[in-house]
Amino acid sequence: MSASAIQHRLDEGSLDAGVTYGDSIGTDLRQVQPLYEETYVLLAPAHMVEDTSPIPWAKVADFPLSLLVPQMQNRRILDRIFLDQGLHPDVVAETSGFTASMVMAREGLAATVVPRVLLRSLGDLKGTKVLPLIDPVVSKPICLATLTRDPELPTVEALRAVVTSLR
């Protein structure tokens, strides 16, 4: 779900906790616990790239890209990176989730920019190459967001404790 949807559902009480971008959620009534720093890679059809050397964002803009829809925080982050560099990416498809974009890359139809952690969890995708992104190297904090409550919900308290123990 989008970062704004997570924040809204926390505020209305239909969600007890969410994993989202730490810099996209207000902390006035919420607690934010860092989980990790998200970095980005280009997932490209093997036939579109020669090697797996780091690639600057300026070259990424030239690929036919499948990206998330503009309402998603990840897409807004990517759009800001391109805009800050005066780049106009060749977006040929927009999806509401990474899976469709990753399938397009595997099928040789388009490249995509995805969080490195996503590819680490999935392993190699046949027919694709993964290129680290540079110029600039971008990272965004991913966090556990919960409402500040008194008394605290036992499940949320336990979840926060687990997150703290893993850090």
Side-chain angles (χ1 to χ4, degrees), residues 38 61 66:
E38 180 172 273
S66 175

Side-chain angles (χ1 to χ4, degrees), residues 42-65:
L42 179 72
L43 178 68
H47 70 85
M48 290 186 185
V49 295
E50 293 180 20
D51 61 33
T52 57
S53 299
I55 185 171
W57 287 88
K59 288 188 179 180
V60 171
D62 295 333
F63 282 83
L65 294 171

